[in-house]
Amino acid sequence: MSEKNQEGKRTARERLAAEREKQRTAEKRRRALIVGASVVGVLGLAAVIGVVAANAGKDGEDASGPFVGPSGAQGKDGLVIPVGKDSAKSTLTVWEDFRCPACKSFEDAYRSTIHELTDAGKLKVEYRLATLIDGNMGGSGSRNAANAAACAQDTGRFPAYHDVLYQNQPPETDDAFAESGKLVELAKKVKGLDTAAFRRCVEDGTHNSWVVKSNEAFQKGRFSGTPTVLLDGRNIYQDRSMTPAKLKQMVEAKSGG
């Protein structure tokens, strides 16, 4: 074989090797781009999930405005709305959400017994408000109803309005309590509550920051959900044997009959 032909074959092999190396380099670059895009996609998804997680439970928690607690509120940071006499031997702490169906079920079953015991001076109830359903379902009905209930507390009509809200609770997925008009309309069912001052308090969200603070306390308490009902610190809502009659018996036993 001539030297010229050998040189030509060597050059051809070199060109082929160079082309293959070029293809390998391009393939590596392509794969790197695919992996990079995948990583970006995963990170992007994680960022979205992080935003969703960060916002979980925050729906309806626009706490613009100063912190204004309702009249007569007690406890740490003034987050407790008390019903009953301070001298009562038993204290029932109720964490609740006005949009919560389970809270309505509890209220419907225990309402008359609780009223009987508070009226008799044997039981003090500490109502503490949460906005769990706003966080789970979206909307602001839990917060706005809690604000309206606090507005009712300002006029000394919390117990009656509290009951009206539960007796007229919309379906869990219906954020009807987000509308101030609905909350004002229900106030007409409570004698003396539908006043200009009450309407202004509801429409302005006077106690919104207080409601948000109350819900933060609920979250920090790491309770399993609403309602959470504690009798002198004991969670009686988790007691499957608990009934209104048993609650009455326990309270009366402590008060001496």
Side-chain angles (χ1 to χ4, degrees):
M1 183 178 294
S2 68
E3 185 177 342
K4 185 175 181 180
N5 287 340
Q6 288 179 345
E7 181 65 25
K9 287 185 177 182
R10 184 167 54 253
T11 302
R13 285 197 298 269
E14 289 174 353
R15 284 200 303 268
L16 181 60
E19 183 63 28
R20 286 175 177 172
E21 181 60 29
K22 183 178 179 181
Q23 290 175 356
R24 282 196 293 269
T25 300
E27 180 65 16
K28 287 180 181 180
R29 187 180 298 111
R30 186 181 70 84
R31 290 177 179 176
L33 289 173
I34 292 174
V35 171
S38 298
V39 171
V40 171
V42 170
L43 292 176
L45 178 60
V48 171
I49 292 173
V51 170
V52 171
N55 286 300
K58 293 185 179 180
D59 291 314
E61 290 194 4
D62 177 14
S64 58
F67 179 91
V68 181
S71 300
Q74 300 177 351
K76 183 181 178 181
D77 297 324
L79 300 178
V80 172
I81 295 181
V83 175
K85 297 179 179 179
D86 289 335
S87 59
K89 297 292 182 63
S90 296
T91 300
L92 191 72
T93 302
V94 183
W95 286 94
E96 60 183 6
D97 181 331
F98 288 110
R99 286 182 72 185
C100 165
C103 296
K104 173 177 170 56
S105 296
F106 171 79
E107 288 294 333
D108 289 347
Y110 285 81
R111 181 180 296 116
S112 60
T113 299
I114 291 174
H115 284 332
E116 178 184 350
L117 293 170
T118 54
D119 291 346
K122 299 177 181 179
L123 179 69
K124 177 184 177 181
V125 184
E126 296 182 340
Y127 287 102
R128 306 192 60 145
L129 308 182
T131 59
L132 185 65
I133 306 302
D134 282 359
N136 291 343
M137 305 295 295
S140 58
S142 298
R143 184 200 65 186
N144 291 0
N147 171 69
C151 294
Q153 169 66 12
D154 289 337
T155 69
R157 293 173 173 82
F158 172 83
Y161 189 62
H162 166 275
D163 292 351
V164 165
L165 286 174
Y166 279 116
Q167 290 164 347
N168 294 271
Q169 184 190 76
E172 185 178 15
T173 56
D174 182 355
D175 197 25
F177 282 168
E179 300 297 327
S180 59
K182 177 66 173 179
L183 297 169
V184 169
E185 178 187 343
L186 291 176
K188 296 177 181 178
K189 297 178 178 290
V190 178
K191 184 177 180 180
L193 181 56
D194 183 22
T195 64
F198 174 80
R199 290 194 296 272
R200 186 165 55 252
C201 182
V202 171
E203 292 165 359
D204 292 350
T206 299
H207 300 298
N208 280 356
S209 294
W210 175 84
V211 174
V212 171
K213 185 77 171 180
S214 180
N215 187 62
E216 288 174 352
F218 172 76
Q219 299 292 343
K220 290 176 181 177
R222 299 185 179 278
F223 300 111
S224 58
T226 54
T228 292
V229 186
L230 312 173
L231 179 63
D232 298 324
R234 172 190 168 191
N235 194 329
I236 63 170
Y237 189 74
Q238 293 179 341
D239 182 353
R240 295 188 178 185
S241 69
M242 186 59 58
T243 63
K246 183 176 179 180
L247 172 63
K248 181 178 178 180
Q249 182 181 29
M250 293 171 68
V251 170
E252 290 186 333
K254 191 169 183 177
S255 67

